[in-house]
PDB file of all heavy atoms in Angstrom:
ATOM      1  N   ASP A  21      81.011  96.326 111.828  1.00 90.00           N
ATOM      2  CA  ASP A  21      81.951  96.222 113.001  1.00 90.00           C
ATOM      3  C   ASP A  21      82.124  97.705 113.486  1.00 90.00           C
ATOM      4  O   ASP A  21      82.638  98.566 112.752  1.00 90.00           O
ATOM      5  CB  ASP A  21      83.304  95.660 112.421  1.00 90.00           C
ATOM      6  CG  ASP A  21      84.235  95.381 113.669  1.00 90.00           C
ATOM      7  OD1 ASP A  21      84.284  96.148 114.636  1.00 90.00           O
ATOM      8  OD2 ASP A  21      84.842  94.254 113.614  1.00 90.00           O
ATOM      9  N   ARG A  22      81.655  97.870 114.715  1.00 90.00           N
ATOM     10  CA  ARG A  22      81.644  99.260 115.261  1.00 90.00           C
ATOM     11  C   ARG A  22      83.103  99.788 115.424  1.00 90.00           C
ATOM     12  O   ARG A  22      83.337 100.931 115.580  1.00 90.00           O
ATOM     13  CB  ARG A  22      80.992  99.283 116.618  1.00 90.00           C
ATOM     14  CG  ARG A  22      79.476  99.109 116.558  1.00 90.00           C
ATOM     15  CD  ARG A  22      78.837  99.297 117.860  1.00 90.00           C
ATOM     16  NE  ARG A  22      77.377  99.175 117.704  1.00 90.00           N
ATOM     17  CZ  ARG A  22      76.515 100.302 117.396  1.00 90.00           C
ATOM     18  NH1 ARG A  22      77.135 101.449 117.054  1.00 90.00           N
ATOM     19  NH2 ARG A  22      75.327 100.051 117.135  1.00 90.00           N
ATOM     20  N   SER A  23      84.197  98.849 115.431  1.00 89.00           N
ATOM     21  CA  SER A  23      85.549  99.236 115.626  1.00 89.00           C
ATOM     22  C   SER A  23      86.245  99.800 114.386  1.00 89.00           C
ATOM     23  O   SER A  23      87.219 100.372 114.475  1.00 89.00           O
ATOM     24  CB  SER A  23      86.286  98.036 116.178  1.00 89.00           C
ATOM     25  OG  SER A  23      86.482  97.068 115.145  1.00 89.00           O
ATOM     26  N   ILE A  24      85.482  99.708 113.279  1.00 92.00           N
ATOM     27  CA  ILE A  24      86.043 100.222 111.993  1.00 92.00           C
ATOM     28  C   ILE A  24      86.275 101.717 112.082  1.00 92.00           C
ATOM     29  O   ILE A  24      85.438 102.453 112.454  1.00 92.00           O
ATOM     30  CB  ILE A  24      85.136  99.831 110.817  1.00 92.00           C
ATOM     31  CG1 ILE A  24      85.136  98.384 110.544  1.00 92.00           C
ATOM     32  CG2 ILE A  24      85.631 100.620 109.560  1.00 92.00           C
ATOM     33  CD1 ILE A  24      84.156  98.041 109.469  1.00 92.00           C
ATOM     34  N   ASP A  25      87.468 102.145 111.807  1.00 90.00           N
ATOM     35  CA  ASP A  25      87.795 103.561 111.773  1.00 90.00           C
ATOM     36  C   ASP A  25      87.424 104.132 110.376  1.00 90.00           C
ATOM     37  O   ASP A  25      88.134 104.113 109.422  1.00 90.00           O
ATOM     38  CB  ASP A  25      89.342 103.750 112.023  1.00 90.00           C
ATOM     39  CG  ASP A  25      89.719 105.242 111.970  1.00 90.00           C
ATOM     40  OD1 ASP A  25      88.873 106.203 111.936  1.00 90.00           O
ATOM     41  OD2 ASP A  25      90.968 105.595 112.083  1.00 90.00           O
ATOM     42  N   ILE A  26      86.150 104.613 110.402  1.00 93.00           N
ATOM     43  CA  ILE A  26      85.488 105.052 109.099  1.00 93.00           C
ATOM     44  C   ILE A  26      86.336 106.270 108.578  1.00 93.00           C
ATOM     45  O   ILE A  26      86.593 106.311 107.219  1.00 93.00           O
ATOM     46  CB  ILE A  26      84.099 105.572 109.394  1.00 93.00           C
ATOM     47  CG1 ILE A  26      83.180 104.466 109.786  1.00 93.00           C
ATOM     48  CG2 ILE A  26      83.549 106.260 108.072  1.00 93.00           C
ATOM     49  CD1 ILE A  26      82.998 103.360 108.780  1.00 93.00           C
ATOM     50  N   ASP A  27      86.894 107.071 109.337  1.00 91.00           N
ATOM     51  CA  ASP A  27      87.630 108.211 108.803  1.00 91.00           C
ATOM     52  C   ASP A  27      89.018 107.893 108.132  1.00 91.00           C
ATOM     53  O   ASP A  27      89.607 108.670 107.362  1.00 91.00           O
ATOM     54  CB  ASP A  27      87.894 109.239 109.982  1.00 91.00           C
ATOM     55  CG  ASP A  27      86.614 109.936 110.451  1.00 91.00           C
ATOM     56  OD1 ASP A  27      85.672 109.981 109.725  1.00 91.00           O
ATOM     57  OD2 ASP A  27      86.581 110.258 111.671  1.00 91.00           O
ATOM     58  N   SER A  28      89.444 106.657 108.368  1.00 94.00           N
ATOM     59  CA  SER A  28      90.668 106.234 107.737  1.00 94.00           C
ATOM     60  C   SER A  28      90.526 105.598 106.292  1.00 94.00           C
ATOM     61  O   SER A  28      91.403 105.237 105.627  1.00 94.00           O
ATOM     62  CB  SER A  28      91.352 105.179 108.587  1.00 94.00           C
ATOM     63  OG  SER A  28      90.636 103.998 108.675  1.00 94.00           O
ATOM     64  N   LEU A  29      89.163 105.452 105.944  1.00 95.00           N
ATOM     65  CA  LEU A  29      88.752 104.856 104.711  1.00 95.00           C
ATOM     66  C   LEU A  29      88.613 105.868 103.639  1.00 95.00           C
ATOM     67  O   LEU A  29      88.376 107.038 103.844  1.00 95.00           O
ATOM     68  CB  LEU A  29      87.530 104.069 104.913  1.00 95.00           C
ATOM     69  CG  LEU A  29      87.386 103.083 105.951  1.00 95.00           C
ATOM     70  CD1 LEU A  29      86.070 102.349 105.993  1.00 95.00           C
ATOM     71  CD2 LEU A  29      88.550 101.955 105.826  1.00 95.00           C
ATOM     72  N   THR A  30      88.787 105.403 102.411  1.00 96.00           N
ATOM     73  CA  THR A  30      88.667 106.326 101.216  1.00 96.00           C
ATOM     74  C   THR A  30      87.386 105.813 100.364  1.00 96.00           C
ATOM     75  O   THR A  30      87.313 104.579 100.152  1.00 96.00           O
ATOM     76  CB  THR A  30      89.887 106.198 100.274  1.00 96.00           C
ATOM     77  OG1 THR A  30      91.077 106.753 100.938  1.00 96.00           O
ATOM     78  CG2 THR A  30      89.660 107.122  98.990  1.00 96.00           C
ATOM     79  N   PHE A  31      86.523 106.796 100.121  1.00 96.00           N
ATOM     80  CA  PHE A  31      85.304 106.504  99.469  1.00 96.00           C
ATOM     81  C   PHE A  31      85.246 107.139  98.018  1.00 96.00           C
ATOM     82  O   PHE A  31      85.508 108.314  97.979  1.00 96.00           O
ATOM     83  CB  PHE A  31      84.038 106.915 100.236  1.00 96.00           C
ATOM     84  CG  PHE A  31      83.872 106.104 101.485  1.00 96.00           C
ATOM     85  CD1 PHE A  31      84.398 106.587 102.647  1.00 96.00           C
ATOM     86  CD2 PHE A  31      83.227 104.812 101.567  1.00 96.00           C
ATOM     87  CE1 PHE A  31      84.212 105.901 103.965  1.00 96.00           C
ATOM     88  CE2 PHE A  31      83.063 104.088 102.716  1.00 96.00           C
ATOM     89  CZ  PHE A  31      83.590 104.721 103.879  1.00 96.00           C
ATOM     90  N   PHE A  32      84.856 106.329  97.068  1.00 95.00           N
ATOM     91  CA  PHE A  32      84.682 106.870  95.749  1.00 95.00           C
ATOM     92  C   PHE A  32      83.182 106.733  95.474  1.00 95.00           C
ATOM     93  O   PHE A  32      82.565 105.686  95.665  1.00 95.00           O
ATOM     94  CB  PHE A  32      85.417 106.097  94.672  1.00 95.00           C
ATOM     95  CG  PHE A  32      86.871 106.054  94.867  1.00 95.00           C
ATOM     96  CD1 PHE A  32      87.463 104.875  95.374  1.00 95.00           C
ATOM     97  CD2 PHE A  32      87.719 107.149  94.457  1.00 95.00           C
ATOM     98  CE1 PHE A  32      88.867 104.826  95.471  1.00 95.00           C
ATOM     99  CE2 PHE A  32      89.096 107.044  94.625  1.00 95.00           C
ATOM    100  CZ  PHE A  32      89.648 105.929  95.202  1.00 95.00           C
ATOM    101  N   THR A  33      82.502 107.771  95.109  1.00 92.00           N
ATOM    102  CA  THR A  33      81.069 107.852  94.690  1.00 92.00           C
ATOM    103  C   THR A  33      80.756 107.402  93.295  1.00 92.00           C
ATOM    104  O   THR A  33      81.313 107.962  92.439  1.00 92.00           O
ATOM    105  CB  THR A  33      80.455 109.187  95.050  1.00 92.00           C
ATOM    106  OG1 THR A  33      80.727 109.497  96.390  1.00 92.00           O
ATOM    107  CG2 THR A  33      78.939 109.087  94.870  1.00 92.00           C
ATOM    108  N   LEU A  34      79.883 106.358  93.248  1.00 90.00           N
ATOM    109  CA  LEU A  34      79.542 105.887  91.880  1.00 90.00           C
ATOM    110  C   LEU A  34      77.990 105.819  91.871  1.00 90.00           C
ATOM    111  O   LEU A  34      77.322 105.070  92.551  1.00 90.00           O
ATOM    112  CB  LEU A  34      80.055 104.486  91.650  1.00 90.00           C
ATOM    113  CG  LEU A  34      79.569 103.776  90.357  1.00 90.00           C
ATOM    114  CD1 LEU A  34      79.836 104.672  89.081  1.00 90.00           C
ATOM    115  CD2 LEU A  34      80.202 102.397  90.128  1.00 90.00           C
ATOM    116  N   ASN A  35      77.341 106.733  91.086  1.00 84.00           N
ATOM    117  CA  ASN A  35      75.916 106.717  90.971  1.00 84.00           C
ATOM    118  C   ASN A  35      75.569 107.093  89.428  1.00 84.00           C
ATOM    119  O   ASN A  35      76.450 107.099  88.659  1.00 84.00           O
ATOM    120  CB  ASN A  35      75.297 107.669  91.957  1.00 84.00           C
ATOM    121  CG  ASN A  35      75.874 109.095  91.838  1.00 84.00           C
ATOM    122  OD1 ASN A  35      76.212 109.623  90.790  1.00 84.00           O
ATOM    123  ND2 ASN A  35      76.002 109.683  93.015  1.00 84.00           N
ATOM    124  N   LYS A  36      74.299 107.364  89.213  1.00 79.00           N
ATOM    125  CA  LYS A  36      73.842 107.644  87.878  1.00 79.00           C
ATOM    126  C   LYS A  36      74.537 108.901  87.285  1.00 79.00           C
ATOM    127  O   LYS A  36      74.632 109.104  86.075  1.00 79.00           O
ATOM    128  CB  LYS A  36      72.359 107.822  87.865  1.00 79.00           C
ATOM    129  CG  LYS A  36      71.634 106.520  88.236  1.00 79.00           C
ATOM    130  CD  LYS A  36      70.121 106.756  88.199  1.00 79.00           C
ATOM    131  CE  LYS A  36      69.341 105.473  88.573  1.00 79.00           C
ATOM    132  NZ  LYS A  36      67.852 105.626  88.583  1.00 79.00           N
ATOM    133  N   ARG A  37      74.983 109.756  88.150  1.00 82.00           N
ATOM    134  CA  ARG A  37      75.596 110.969  87.688  1.00 82.00           C
ATOM    135  C   ARG A  37      77.126 110.870  87.380  1.00 82.00           C
ATOM    136  O   ARG A  37      77.745 111.851  86.878  1.00 82.00           O
ATOM    137  CB  ARG A  37      75.354 112.171  88.690  1.00 82.00           C
ATOM    138  CG  ARG A  37      73.822 112.514  88.757  1.00 82.00           C
ATOM    139  CD  ARG A  37      73.667 113.628  89.776  1.00 82.00           C
ATOM    140  NE  ARG A  37      74.038 113.299  91.103  1.00 82.00           N
ATOM    141  CZ  ARG A  37      73.185 112.559  91.948  1.00 82.00           C
ATOM    142  NH1 ARG A  37      72.030 112.191  91.567  1.00 82.00           N
ATOM    143  NH2 ARG A  37      73.630 112.328  93.091  1.00 82.00           N
ATOM    144  N   THR A  38      77.753 109.807  87.815  1.00 83.00           N
ATOM    145  CA  THR A  38      79.147 109.650  87.622  1.00 83.00           C
ATOM    146  C   THR A  38      79.492 109.424  86.204  1.00 83.00           C
ATOM    147  O   THR A  38      78.892 108.562  85.500  1.00 83.00           O
ATOM    148  CB  THR A  38      79.606 108.351  88.523  1.00 83.00           C
ATOM    149  OG1 THR A  38      79.258 108.530  89.839  1.00 83.00           O
ATOM    150  CG2 THR A  38      81.184 108.301  88.426  1.00 83.00           C
ATOM    151  N   GLN A  39      80.520 110.193  85.724  1.00 82.00           N
ATOM    152  CA  GLN A  39      80.978 110.026  84.348  1.00 82.00           C
ATOM    153  C   GLN A  39      81.883 108.748  84.217  1.00 82.00           C
ATOM    154  O   GLN A  39      82.629 108.424  85.041  1.00 82.00           O
ATOM    155  CB  GLN A  39      81.692 111.229  83.969  1.00 82.00           C
ATOM    156  CG  GLN A  39      80.996 112.607  84.031  1.00 82.00           C
ATOM    157  CD  GLN A  39      79.865 112.654  83.054  1.00 82.00           C
ATOM    158  OE1 GLN A  39      79.959 112.199  81.969  1.00 82.00           O
ATOM    159  NE2 GLN A  39      78.726 113.156  83.545  1.00 82.00           N
ATOM    160  N   LEU A  40      81.724 108.135  83.021  1.00 80.00           N
ATOM    161  CA  LEU A  40      82.541 106.915  82.714  1.00 80.00           C
ATOM    162  C   LEU A  40      84.058 107.224  82.870  1.00 80.00           C
ATOM    163  O   LEU A  40      84.774 106.317  83.270  1.00 80.00           O
ATOM    164  CB  LEU A  40      82.155 106.349  81.321  1.00 80.00           C
ATOM    165  CG  LEU A  40      80.819 105.787  81.196  1.00 80.00           C
ATOM    166  CD1 LEU A  40      80.625 105.357  79.755  1.00 80.00           C
ATOM    167  CD2 LEU A  40      80.655 104.510  82.082  1.00 80.00           C
ATOM    168  N   SER A  41      84.424 108.420  82.539  1.00 83.00           N
ATOM    169  CA  SER A  41      85.832 108.808  82.607  1.00 83.00           C
ATOM    170  C   SER A  41      86.346 108.857  83.981  1.00 83.00           C
ATOM    171  O   SER A  41      87.570 108.795  84.211  1.00 83.00           O
ATOM    172  CB  SER A  41      86.071 110.172  81.970  1.00 83.00           C
ATOM    173  OG  SER A  41      85.253 111.267  82.695  1.00 83.00           O
ATOM    174  N   GLU A  42      85.467 108.765  85.058  1.00 86.00           N
ATOM    175  CA  GLU A  42      85.860 108.891  86.422  1.00 86.00           C
ATOM    176  C   GLU A  42      86.255 107.417  86.987  1.00 86.00           C
ATOM    177  O   GLU A  42      86.766 107.319  88.061  1.00 86.00           O
ATOM    178  CB  GLU A  42      84.853 109.581  87.320  1.00 86.00           C
ATOM    179  CG  GLU A  42      84.604 111.048  86.908  1.00 86.00           C
ATOM    180  CD  GLU A  42      83.429 111.547  87.714  1.00 86.00           C
ATOM    181  OE1 GLU A  42      83.526 111.491  88.992  1.00 86.00           O
ATOM    182  OE2 GLU A  42      82.543 112.216  87.104  1.00 86.00           O
ATOM    183  N   LEU A  43      85.705 106.497  86.290  1.00 90.00           N
ATOM    184  CA  LEU A  43      85.791 105.104  86.871  1.00 90.00           C
ATOM    185  C   LEU A  43      87.200 104.543  86.926  1.00 90.00           C
ATOM    186  O   LEU A  43      87.386 103.694  87.886  1.00 90.00           O
ATOM    187  CB  LEU A  43      84.904 104.127  85.941  1.00 90.00           C
ATOM    188  CG  LEU A  43      83.370 104.551  85.812  1.00 90.00           C
ATOM    189  CD1 LEU A  43      82.663 103.483  85.071  1.00 90.00           C
ATOM    190  CD2 LEU A  43      82.722 104.810  87.216  1.00 90.00           C
ATOM    191  N   ASP A  44      88.129 104.857  85.941  1.00 88.00           N
ATOM    192  CA  ASP A  44      89.359 104.257  85.957  1.00 88.00           C
ATOM    193  C   ASP A  44      90.167 104.549  87.373  1.00 88.00           C
ATOM    194  O   ASP A  44      90.868 103.750  87.879  1.00 88.00           O
ATOM    195  CB  ASP A  44      90.202 104.783  84.793  1.00 88.00           C
ATOM    196  CG  ASP A  44      89.811 103.956  83.557  1.00 88.00           C
ATOM    197  OD1 ASP A  44      89.776 102.778  83.635  1.00 88.00           O
ATOM    198  OD2 ASP A  44      89.758 104.581  82.514  1.00 88.00           O
ATOM    199  N   LYS A  45      89.989 105.832  87.799  1.00 92.00           N
ATOM    200  CA  LYS A  45      90.692 106.230  89.011  1.00 92.00           C
ATOM    201  C   LYS A  45      90.233 105.433  90.276  1.00 92.00           C
ATOM    202  O   LYS A  45      90.971 105.258  91.227  1.00 92.00           O
ATOM    203  CB  LYS A  45      90.571 107.662  89.246  1.00 92.00           C
ATOM    204  CG  LYS A  45      89.180 108.227  89.602  1.00 92.00           C
ATOM    205  CD  LYS A  45      89.185 109.727  89.821  1.00 92.00           C
ATOM    206  CE  LYS A  45      87.895 110.159  90.305  1.00 92.00           C
ATOM    207  NZ  LYS A  45      87.815 111.692  90.586  1.00 92.00           N
ATOM    208  N   MET A  46      88.985 104.969  90.182  1.00 95.00           N
ATOM    209  CA  MET A  46      88.544 104.245  91.335  1.00 95.00           C
ATOM    210  C   MET A  46      89.183 102.881  91.563  1.00 95.00           C
ATOM    211  O   MET A  46      89.135 102.302  92.568  1.00 95.00           O
ATOM    212  CB  MET A  46      86.973 103.996  91.280  1.00 95.00           C
ATOM    213  CG  MET A  46      86.145 105.316  91.118  1.00 95.00           C
ATOM    214  SD  MET A  46      84.381 104.976  91.015  1.00 95.00           S
ATOM    215  CE  MET A  46      83.805 106.565  90.780  1.00 95.00           C
ATOM    216  N   LEU A  47      89.808 102.415  90.518  1.00 95.00           N
ATOM    217  CA  LEU A  47      90.481 101.138  90.539  1.00 95.00           C
ATOM    218  C   LEU A  47      92.040 101.229  90.668  1.00 95.00           C
ATOM    219  O   LEU A  47      92.738 100.280  90.735  1.00 95.00           O
ATOM    220  CB  LEU A  47      90.235 100.284  89.226  1.00 95.00           C
ATOM    221  CG  LEU A  47      88.652  99.911  89.103  1.00 95.00           C
ATOM    222  CD1 LEU A  47      88.502  99.254  87.772  1.00 95.00           C
ATOM    223  CD2 LEU A  47      88.217  99.022  90.169  1.00 95.00           C
ATOM    224  N   LEU A  48      92.460 102.493  90.841  1.00 95.00           N
ATOM    225  CA  LEU A  48      93.968 102.739  90.939  1.00 95.00           C
ATOM    226  C   LEU A  48      94.443 102.024  92.175  1.00 95.00           C
ATOM    227  O   LEU A  48      95.728 101.591  92.106  1.00 95.00           O
ATOM    228  CB  LEU A  48      94.225 104.246  91.037  1.00 95.00           C
ATOM    229  CG  LEU A  48      94.121 105.068  89.707  1.00 95.00           C
ATOM    230  CD1 LEU A  48      94.314 106.458  90.060  1.00 95.00           C
ATOM    231  CD2 LEU A  48      95.035 104.415  88.664  1.00 95.00           C
ATOM    232  N   PRO A  49      93.809 101.884  93.305  1.00 97.00           N
ATOM    233  CA  PRO A  49      94.451 101.221  94.464  1.00 97.00           C
ATOM    234  C   PRO A  49      94.769  99.780  94.093  1.00 97.00           C
ATOM    235  O   PRO A  49      95.732  99.260  94.656  1.00 97.00           O
ATOM    236  CB  PRO A  49      93.266 101.240  95.476  1.00 97.00           C
ATOM    237  CG  PRO A  49      92.587 102.507  95.193  1.00 97.00           C
ATOM    238  CD  PRO A  49      92.556 102.590  93.687  1.00 97.00           C
ATOM    239  N   LEU A  50      94.104  99.188  93.260  1.00 96.00           N
ATOM    240  CA  LEU A  50      94.408  97.700  92.826  1.00 96.00           C
ATOM    241  C   LEU A  50      95.713  97.590  92.157  1.00 96.00           C
ATOM    242  O   LEU A  50      96.465  96.638  92.302  1.00 96.00           O
ATOM    243  CB  LEU A  50      93.295  97.237  91.884  1.00 96.00           C
ATOM    244  CG  LEU A  50      91.909  96.919  92.595  1.00 96.00           C
ATOM    245  CD1 LEU A  50      90.899  96.653  91.527  1.00 96.00           C
ATOM    246  CD2 LEU A  50      92.026  95.668  93.351  1.00 96.00           C
ATOM    247  N   GLU A  51      96.084  98.677  91.411  1.00 94.00           N
ATOM    248  CA  GLU A  51      97.389  98.754  90.752  1.00 94.00           C
ATOM    249  C   GLU A  51      98.589  98.737  91.667  1.00 94.00           C
ATOM    250  O   GLU A  51      99.599  98.400  91.222  1.00 94.00           O
ATOM    251  CB  GLU A  51      97.407  99.905  89.740  1.00 94.00           C
ATOM    252  CG  GLU A  51      96.282  99.821  88.610  1.00 94.00           C
ATOM    253  CD  GLU A  51      96.360 100.899  87.658  1.00 94.00           C
ATOM    254  OE1 GLU A  51      97.369 101.706  87.707  1.00 94.00           O
ATOM    255  OE2 GLU A  51      95.496 100.990  86.763  1.00 94.00           O
ATOM    256  N   VAL A  52      98.383  99.215  92.842  1.00 95.00           N
ATOM    257  CA  VAL A  52      99.511  99.351  93.845  1.00 95.00           C
ATOM    258  C   VAL A  52      99.325  98.253  94.934  1.00 95.00           C
ATOM    259  O   VAL A  52      99.858  98.506  95.998  1.00 95.00           O
ATOM    260  CB  VAL A  52      99.683 100.769  94.298  1.00 95.00           C
ATOM    261  CG1 VAL A  52     100.123 101.631  93.229  1.00 95.00           C
ATOM    262  CG2 VAL A  52      98.383 101.213  94.896  1.00 95.00           C
ATOM    263  N   GLY A  53      98.469  97.321  94.747  1.00 95.00           N
ATOM    264  CA  GLY A  53      98.411  96.231  95.741  1.00 95.00           C
ATOM    265  C   GLY A  53      97.315  96.439  96.838  1.00 95.00           C
ATOM    266  O   GLY A  53      97.442  95.771  97.866  1.00 95.00           O
ATOM    267  N   ASN A  54      96.372  97.272  96.599  1.00 97.00           N
ATOM    268  CA  ASN A  54      95.266  97.479  97.592  1.00 97.00           C
ATOM    269  C   ASN A  54      93.987  96.961  97.076  1.00 97.00           C
ATOM    270  O   ASN A  54      93.542  97.293  96.005  1.00 97.00           O
ATOM    271  CB  ASN A  54      95.151  98.909  98.026  1.00 97.00           C
ATOM    272  CG  ASN A  54      96.395  99.475  98.697  1.00 97.00           C
ATOM    273  OD1 ASN A  54      96.784  98.930  99.787  1.00 97.00           O
ATOM    274  ND2 ASN A  54      96.973 100.529  98.209  1.00 97.00           N
ATOM    275  N   SER A  55      93.285  96.215  97.965  1.00 97.00           N
ATOM    276  CA  SER A  55      91.897  95.660  97.547  1.00 97.00           C
ATOM    277  C   SER A  55      90.937  96.818  97.536  1.00 97.00           C
ATOM    278  O   SER A  55      91.090  97.822  98.243  1.00 97.00           O
ATOM    279  CB  SER A  55      91.477  94.573  98.424  1.00 97.00           C
ATOM    280  OG  SER A  55      92.227  93.472  98.242  1.00 97.00           O
ATOM    281  N   VAL A  56      89.873  96.678  96.725  1.00 97.00           N
ATOM    282  CA  VAL A  56      88.807  97.674  96.622  1.00 97.00           C
ATOM    283  C   VAL A  56      87.461  96.937  96.853  1.00 97.00           C
ATOM    284  O   VAL A  56      87.284  95.918  96.349  1.00 97.00           O
ATOM    285  CB  VAL A  56      88.833  98.361  95.267  1.00 97.00           C
ATOM    286  CG1 VAL A  56      87.558  99.366  95.174  1.00 97.00           C
ATOM    287  CG2 VAL A  56      90.097  99.162  95.089  1.00 97.00           C
ATOM    288  N   GLY A  57      86.588  97.546  97.680  1.00 97.00           N
ATOM    289  CA  GLY A  57      85.227  96.979  97.867  1.00 97.00           C
ATOM    290  C   GLY A  57      84.245  97.791  97.077  1.00 97.00           C
ATOM    291  O   GLY A  57      84.272  99.003  97.051  1.00 97.00           O
ATOM    292  N   LEU A  58      83.307  97.047  96.496  1.00 97.00           N
ATOM    293  CA  LEU A  58      82.211  97.728  95.762  1.00 97.00           C
ATOM    294  C   LEU A  58      80.844  97.393  96.464  1.00 97.00           C
ATOM    295  O   LEU A  58      80.534  96.255  96.630  1.00 97.00           O
ATOM    296  CB  LEU A  58      82.125  97.209  94.255  1.00 97.00           C
ATOM    297  CG  LEU A  58      80.956  97.685  93.451  1.00 97.00           C
ATOM    298  CD1 LEU A  58      80.975  99.220  93.256  1.00 97.00           C
ATOM    299  CD2 LEU A  58      80.938  96.936  92.063  1.00 97.00           C
ATOM    300  N   LEU A  59      80.194  98.477  96.856  1.00 94.00           N
ATOM    301  CA  LEU A  59      78.947  98.323  97.559  1.00 94.00           C
ATOM    302  C   LEU A  59      77.802  99.064  96.818  1.00 94.00           C
ATOM    303  O   LEU A  59      78.033 100.087  96.266  1.00 94.00           O
ATOM    304  CB  LEU A  59      78.935  98.966  99.006  1.00 94.00           C
ATOM    305  CG  LEU A  59      79.772  98.282 100.076  1.00 94.00           C
ATOM    306  CD1 LEU A  59      81.241  98.379  99.850  1.00 94.00           C
ATOM    307  CD2 LEU A  59      79.284  98.902 101.385  1.00 94.00           C
ATOM    308  N   SER A  60      76.627  98.443  96.804  1.00 87.00           N
ATOM    309  CA  SER A  60      75.440  99.154  96.325  1.00 87.00           C
ATOM    310  C   SER A  60      74.619  99.658  97.432  1.00 87.00           C
ATOM    311  O   SER A  60      75.011  99.410  98.655  1.00 87.00           O
ATOM    312  CB  SER A  60      74.529  98.252  95.370  1.00 87.00           C
ATOM    313  OG  SER A  60      74.073  97.094  96.246  1.00 87.00           O
ATOM    314  N   GLU A  61      73.440 100.280  97.168  1.00 88.00           N
ATOM    315  CA  GLU A  61      72.654 100.819  98.247  1.00 88.00           C
ATOM    316  C   GLU A  61      72.047  99.629  99.054  1.00 88.00           C
ATOM    317  O   GLU A  61      71.767  99.798 100.237  1.00 88.00           O
ATOM    318  CB  GLU A  61      71.617 101.796  97.759  1.00 88.00           C
ATOM    319  CG  GLU A  61      72.165 103.235  97.551  1.00 88.00           C
ATOM    320  CD  GLU A  61      72.350 103.909  98.806  1.00 88.00           C
ATOM    321  OE1 GLU A  61      71.490 104.431  99.430  1.00 88.00           O
ATOM    322  OE2 GLU A  61      73.531 103.798  99.308  1.00 88.00           O
ATOM    323  N   ALA A  62      71.746  98.580  98.284  1.00 89.00           N
ATOM    324  CA  ALA A  62      70.920  97.444  98.885  1.00 89.00           C
ATOM    325  C   ALA A  62      71.158  96.200  98.009  1.00 89.00           C
ATOM    326  O   ALA A  62      71.237  96.370  96.792  1.00 89.00           O
ATOM    327  CB  ALA A  62      69.584  97.682  99.215  1.00 89.00           C
TER     328      ALA A  62
END
């Protein structure tokens, strides 16, 4: 959707270099009532 305001979104990077200790914070939005989307490259 071209109307999406990309700059208003928050992105967490998850790749082969991401430490397991960093994963918990990526799900913090769920704890306060916000949905999270998980996307792969393809």
Side-chain angles (χ1 to χ4, degrees):
D21 193 316
R22 291 187 177 277
S23 69
I24 292 178
D25 182 6
I26 296 293
D27 293 332
S28 69
L29 306 178
T30 298
F31 294 94
F32 302 102
T33 302
L34 173 59
N35 53 40
K36 294 179 180 178
R37 295 180 295 277
T38 304
Q39 299 296 316
L40 290 176
S41 58
E42 301 176 51
L43 302 184
D44 281 315
K45 69 178 182 181
M46 299 181 184
L47 298 176
L48 287 177
L50 288 167
E51 297 182 4
V52 293
N54 294 302
S55 290
V56 175
L58 173 64
L59 286 74
S60 64
E61 277 292 272

